[in-house]
Amino acid sequence: VMGGEPTFFFVFFSVMVGLIIMAPISKLPEFMANSWRMKASNQMVICVFYVVTYMRHTSNLENAIRFASDHLNPPLAVDMKRILWDVETGKFESVNESLDAYLETWRDWNHEFIESMHLIESSLYESSEDRRITALEKSLDVILNETYETMLHYAHNLKGPITTLH
């Protein structure tokens, strides 16, 4: 015969388990977003490289983004395909508008990627072939140099705690 005690025990146990796992589960979306952002930011240098590589021989931003999305792995490949999808579905009128809206999502995290992509966009408006190639090369230099600077700052910030542990 089941009395009131076992039922109360299961209710109490379920409530306690729910309270204990509520905090970790509430942080899960933030953790997943940060994980997605970190994976994407690891691919940004190669993304700029793919776009510049394509645009060196053909000055077409849409095809360059498609080329990059075909050769990158998720999550950045998904973001590049979304840029194109937003144009195809009419959310934006041009690839430039869609790309600018996408770059705004990175404003707080990766300025060098934004600057490099803007330099790539500006290469479309250059009058001579030499100036167009120079703008593309500058976009690669910007992301490589800024990524290098970021790594140096990160390593420098690690030096203090490691020295303390030593």
Side-chain angles (χ1 to χ4, degrees), residues 55-151:
M55 288 190 64
R56 283 185 69 123
H57 69 82
T58 305
S59 185
N60 184 320
L61 184 61
E62 182 176 352
N63 287 342
I65 290 174
R66 183 170 287 116
F67 177 79
S69 70
D70 289 342
H71 291 86
L72 288 170
N73 293 324
L76 199 55
V78 173
D79 290 348
M80 294 292 117
K81 288 177 183 176
R82 185 173 147 243
I83 291 169
L84 299 173
W85 178 255
D86 286 345
V87 175
E88 291 172 7
T89 59
K91 185 174 180 181
F92 296 102
E93 290 187 24
S94 70
V95 174
N96 287 353
E97 287 179 23
S98 182
L99 180 60
D100 289 341
Y102 170 71
L103 292 175
E104 279 302 310
T105 64
W106 285 99
R107 180 138 328 265
D108 295 335
W109 292 283
N110 202 325
H111 293 285
E112 56 269 13
F113 179 64
I114 295 170
E115 189 176 344
S116 291
M117 293 306 279
H118 283 309
L119 283 166
I120 290 169
E121 285 178 318
S122 73
S123 76
L124 295 170
Y125 303 110
E126 292 296 338
S127 57
S128 72
E129 185 69 14
D130 289 337
R131 290 182 63 182
R132 187 179 72 80
I133 298 297
T134 302
L136 292 171
E137 294 298 322
K138 174 97 171 123
S139 71
L140 269 176
D141 287 342
V142 164
I143 196 156
L144 289 172
N145 289 334
E146 291 296 322
T147 301
Y148 178 73
E149 289 293 322
T150 304
M151 289 188 326

Side-chain angles (χ1 to χ4, degrees), residues 158-166:
L158 281 179
K159 186 177 179 181
I162 290 177
T163 304
T164 305
L165 286 176
H166 188 301

